[in-house]
Amino acid sequence: MRFDIVTIFPEFFGALDVSLLGKARQAGVIEVGLHDLRDFTHDRHRTVDDTPYGGGAGMVMKPEPWGEALDSVVREDSVIVVPSPAGHPFTQREARELSTREHLVFACGRYEGIDQRVIDHYADRNEVREISLGDYVLNGGEVAAMAIIEAVGRLVPGVVGNPASLTEESHEDGLLEYPSYTKPALWRERAVPAVLLSGHHGAVAQWRHEQQLERTRRVRPDLLSPDLLSTDGSGEST
Ligand SMILES: COc1cccc(COC(=O)c2cn[nH]c2)c1
């Protein structure tokens, strides 16, 4: 898989050189291209924004630099991701979907956003996804793009050493994950739930599923649908 990122702050993505994604890049499992939007301007001040038609506060990102920048990286099979407060909510399901695609192009907007004609132009040619990480506003798309790249990148085969660890995570089965414990068995007078020390794998699986349901009911009742309310460990509806 290849990620191309267009931004006015390419240095922001230096973090992609470290940790998991850094190793995956060295292994060639994923490629990352960084592109400075200002390299696609032609005036002395390398201008990327201007005042909004119709008036109002703030500035809008000009269409010309974006057109030249995206033309230089977008392929026929590219999915263009635009992190935006006006996007649809990002989920683990979408992360899984995106992890199966060959080429993701991230358009990191700033200011009040990108001239709408850029989105409309590329939506005629490519899949364009305006994605929100949550109902709050950041100064630009870079932080959101980093989060999406990590959520997607870690699902790409070969990036995470033990793929089994990807299945027992929050949101993988539609529920929040169960609480985890490790040694010591007693810590500040707090013991580990006895069932986890019992060696009885069936009882452990049942307890973990019950914990997932309880935690999801308590913290994220919005995630629960009737078929997820089953109580046996299978996750099948009863
Ligand atoms: C594309 O135009 C803009 C304009 C303003 C900010 C941003 C950055 O994204 C967010 O703020 C965001 C993403 N998910 N939740 C918030 C993009």
Side-chain angles (χ1 to χ4, degrees):
M1 169 185 275
R2 181 175 172 87
F3 299 105
D4 278 295
I5 304 161
V6 181
T7 169
I8 60 171
F9 295 122
E11 66 278 6
F12 181 90
F13 292 92
L16 287 178
D17 292 334
V18 299
S19 87
L20 211 58
L21 291 185
K23 291 193 183 68
R25 287 178 74 179
Q26 284 159 12
V29 172
I30 53 173
E31 299 172 326
V32 177
L34 293 178
H35 311 275
D36 187 338
L37 181 66
R38 295 190 194 280
D39 291 345
F40 299 89
T41 62
H42 306 291
D43 63 304
R44 192 154 57 90
H45 296 294
R46 294 160 59 91
T47 308
V48 294
D49 64 317
D50 204 334
T51 54
Y53 277 121
M59 302 289 271
V60 177
M61 300 191 97
K62 293 168 58 62
E64 303 99 320
W66 275 108
E68 290 188 30
L70 291 175
D71 283 353
S72 75
V73 290
V74 170
R75 308 176 324 207
E76 194 173 347
D77 65 339
S78 307
V79 178
I80 300 171
V81 175
V82 186
S84 169
H88 62 264
F90 187 57
T91 61
Q92 188 64 14
R93 174 192 295 267
E94 184 165 25
R96 276 199 296 273
E97 269 176 35
L98 291 175
S99 72
T100 66
R101 310 301 289 267
E102 281 308 310
H103 190 216
L104 303 185
V105 175
F106 286 81
C108 297
R110 293 240 135 208
Y111 309 107
E112 299 312 306
I114 302 171
D115 186 299
Q116 185 59 40
R117 290 169 292 181
V118 176
I119 310 298
D120 297 344
H121 172 81
Y122 288 96
D124 284 348
R125 295 155 176 77
N126 287 81
E127 189 178 340
V128 176
R129 297 193 185 197
E130 295 182 81
I131 293 179
S132 168
L133 289 196
D135 296 335
Y136 45 80
V137 182
L138 302 167
N139 285 329
E142 286 78 9
V143 167
M146 184 71 89
I148 297 166
I149 289 168
E150 178 155 324
V152 171
R154 63 194 292 277
L155 297 177
V156 173
V159 173
V160 169
N162 172 14
S165 65
L166 294 175
T167 52
E168 297 206 348
E169 295 183 311
S170 280
H171 305 292
E172 269 307 316
D173 54 4
L175 297 172
L176 300 186
E177 59 194 6
Y178 48 77
S180 295
Y181 301 83
T182 186
K183 293 187 283 297
L186 190 66
W187 176 72
R188 293 189 181 180
E189 314 306 317
R190 293 177 187 274
V192 170
V195 65
L196 298 179
L197 309 179
S198 70
H200 190 316
H201 302 301
V204 170
Q206 176 70 27
W207 179 85
R208 284 175 165 172
H209 188 66
E210 285 163 359
Q211 290 293 312
Q212 282 187 279
L213 285 172
E214 187 281 327
R215 188 179 231 178
T216 308
R217 279 196 196 99
R218 175 166 40 88
V219 178
R220 290 295 305 277
D222 59 295
L223 291 179
L224 286 178
S225 57
D227 67 314
L228 280 175
L229 283 167
S230 69
T231 54
D232 68 8
S234 68
E236 296 308 313
S237 55
T238 46

